[in-house]
Amino acid sequence: MTAAASTNNMDSLEKSLCDFTGSTPLDQRFRSLFTIKGLAATSDQHMQRAISIISHAFSDDSALLKHELAYVLGQLEDSRALPTLKRILEDGDQDAMVRHEAAEAMGAISDPSVLLVLEQYRNDSDVSVRETCELAISKITFDNSDEGRALKASKASARLKQEQSGSHGVESAFAPIDPAPAMTSSASSKEAAKSEAEGQSYTADQVPLFQQTLLDTNLSLFERYRAMFALRNVAHGGGEGAVQAVLALAKGLKDGSALFRHEICFVFGELCHPASIPSMLMVLDDSTEHEMVRHEAAEALGGIVEEGEEDGKNGDGDFTKVLETLQKWAQDGEAPRVVRESCIVALDELKYNNDPTQFHRIEAPTAVAA
Ligand SMILES: [Fe+2]
Ligand SMILES: [Fe+2]
């Protein structure tokens, strides 16, 4: 694409994303957002433009869309997005889910200059915002520690190797930035960082240790999140280890923290593993569950691929049930708006992922916000 063509493209994407009249369907606006995110990486000019368009889109009234905007700003990993994110976190009129995502995005950008504001909102009236600020502070502190710097350096060299060889490891160069780095079981943090960055160190025999850490409520949320992403990495390896890791993660859905439960659902959305379908259906069907958790379960179900295409363990029955459950909540006038809208977006994604005329699955399973 020429520079002029991509600038024109940005103009039309802005029109779609920032259509506040309601005439552009939500799923189309989500697609525009993901395309803007992709274009942002192509030049500094596009990055600046993307940040400005996305910041403008916060004038919308959909919490679902706005939490996604905050997520994407974090994933762009550019400090120029911080003023917008700070404004959203400080705005008590914004939905808690959007403010939570803004705090998490500040953690993703990992600039120590935001530590003060995050400290301040560690006392927020909303528990999810408080917990997210705590996590973001821990992440920024970790990233700036010796261990964090060693991990970053190892990831950069692994990425370079991948680029040179044209291959991609488990932790690909374009993997999303997690709210906490995956825990390792190695005694030497330097060694662990090296092998983790190369995506080699996660195996089924580590599941009991990671599960124990995940479920230990005496540990900090950050340590428990680290175990969650370690289990995610085990599951990425596939096979029987993946099933064990998914079942271990599902045990976390009984935790007292809605933030913690929503993150488990997000991880299931990244994995799209058939073994997670029953628990995701249960979460979405539970009208007493926190809307943020149900939203994440709906989006996770949107990434499910029909039988035979991946691990081949979800039968036709499962797929039909996913479809019916998403349709039911998409149309339920009593359901919270964010749940309904998530089901609409998930149905669109489901249709796209299972369309044989599409060559590639949509980026959304790894792109959507937790
Ligand atoms: Fe989230
Ligand atoms: Fe989300």
Side-chain angles (χ1 to χ4, degrees):
M1 196 186 293
T2 65
S6 61
T7 303
N8 284 343
N9 204 1
M10 275 292 208
D11 289 344
S12 65
L13 290 164
E14 178 174 24
K15 264 200 197 112
S16 158
L17 179 65
C18 299
D19 177 3
F20 306 129
T21 66
S23 49
T24 307
L26 198 58
D27 43 80
Q28 198 176 313
R29 297 173 71 196
F30 266 80
R31 282 184 200 287
S32 301
L33 175 61
F34 298 142
T35 313
I36 290 170
K37 178 178 172 243
L39 282 173
T42 59
S43 72
D44 189 64
Q45 200 190 346
H46 279 106
M47 177 64 82
Q48 242 172 309
R49 184 80 202 283
I51 293 171
S52 137
I53 295 172
I54 297 170
S55 300
H56 177 209
F58 277 101
S59 302
D60 203 75
D61 65 359
S62 162
L64 183 72
L65 181 73
K66 286 194 283 188
H67 103 296
E68 202 68 43
L69 299 173
Y71 175 78
V72 170
L73 283 183
Q75 296 295 314
L76 292 180
E77 238 187 320
D78 191 308
S79 296
R80 287 171 290 189
L82 289 173
T84 300
L85 293 169
K86 191 166 164 276
R87 169 170 67 84
I88 300 299
L89 174 61
E90 288 174 339
D91 181 356
D93 290 336
Q94 294 284 349
D95 193 284
M97 190 166 113
V98 182
R99 296 179 62 225
H100 132 74
E101 209 61 52
E104 190 174 296
M106 289 161 93
I109 296 171
S110 209
D111 183 330
S113 70
V114 298
L115 283 171
L116 259 175
V117 70
L118 288 171
E119 269 308 338
Q120 196 184 333
Y121 286 90
R122 211 177 186 169
N123 300 312
D124 195 75
S125 58
D126 184 89
V127 60
S128 298
V129 172
R130 285 203 299 274
E131 289 176 339
T132 310
C133 288
E134 180 196 320
L135 277 167
I137 290 167
S138 300
K139 179 180 178 290
I140 297 172
T141 309
F142 175 89
D143 288 343
N144 289 286
S145 70
D146 286 349
E147 192 185 352
R149 274 192 279 263
L151 181 62
K152 197 173 176 196
S154 303
K155 278 189 174 172
S157 80
R159 188 177 309 165
L160 196 69
K161 261 193 230 160
Q162 279 171 17
E163 277 167 12
Q164 283 165 351
S165 68
S167 69
H168 290 283
V170 172
E171 293 290 288
S172 102
F174 304 105
I177 306 162
D178 298 324
M183 172 187 173
T184 51
S185 61
S186 171
S188 147
S189 60
K190 208 172 167 196
E191 268 310 296
K194 190 169 175 288
S195 50
E196 197 266 338
E198 289 164 359
Q200 293 168 349
S201 65
Y202 293 96
T203 50
D205 59 330
Q206 297 165 324
V207 169
L209 169 71
F210 295 150
Q211 175 179 310
Q212 192 188 10
T213 309
L214 178 84
L215 303 177
D216 187 346
T217 50
N218 290 317
L219 295 173
S220 69
L221 207 51
F222 187 67
E223 291 306 319
R224 298 178 67 208
Y225 263 52
R226 293 194 66 184
M228 196 189 295
F229 289 103
L231 286 165
R232 188 267 323 266
N233 287 356
V234 173
H236 266 319
E240 194 45 39
V243 178
Q244 286 171 21
V246 166
L247 297 178
L249 284 164
K251 292 198 170 93
L253 290 168
K254 290 201 174 68
D255 194 80
S257 158
L259 188 78
F260 186 85
R261 297 196 301 277
H262 109 297
E263 199 66 31
I264 300 258
C265 298
F266 172 75
V267 166
F268 281 159
E270 286 188 292
L271 291 171
C272 301
H273 194 285
S276 69
I277 297 176
S279 49
M280 291 299 87
L281 285 171
M282 215 185 293
V283 170
L284 178 56
D285 264 334
D286 180 1
S287 50
T288 64
E289 175 56 286
H290 194 294
E291 61 184 36
M292 182 171 71
V293 187
R294 294 179 73 201
H295 133 75
E296 217 60 66
E299 294 205 337
L301 289 167
I304 295 300
V305 178
E306 209 167 357
E307 191 220 357
E309 291 189 31
E310 292 223 321
D311 287 36
K313 290 196 181 129
N314 57 320
D316 281 343
D318 270 351
F319 189 77
T320 310
K321 208 150 177 232
V322 167
L323 201 62
E324 285 172 359
T325 308
L326 286 171
Q327 278 163 345
K328 178 176 87 183
W329 291 108
Q331 290 155 9
D332 190 313
E334 303 279 293
R337 176 176 169 184
V338 73
V339 173
R340 272 185 283 125
E341 288 187 345
S342 304
C343 290
I344 294 167
V345 172
L347 283 165
D348 173 66
E349 200 194 320
L350 206 66
K351 200 170 99 198
Y352 187 92
N353 288 347
N354 292 284
D355 178 350
T357 63
Q358 298 291 345
F359 290 108
H360 301 289
R361 296 179 55 199
I362 191 174
E363 190 198 358
T366 51
V368 291

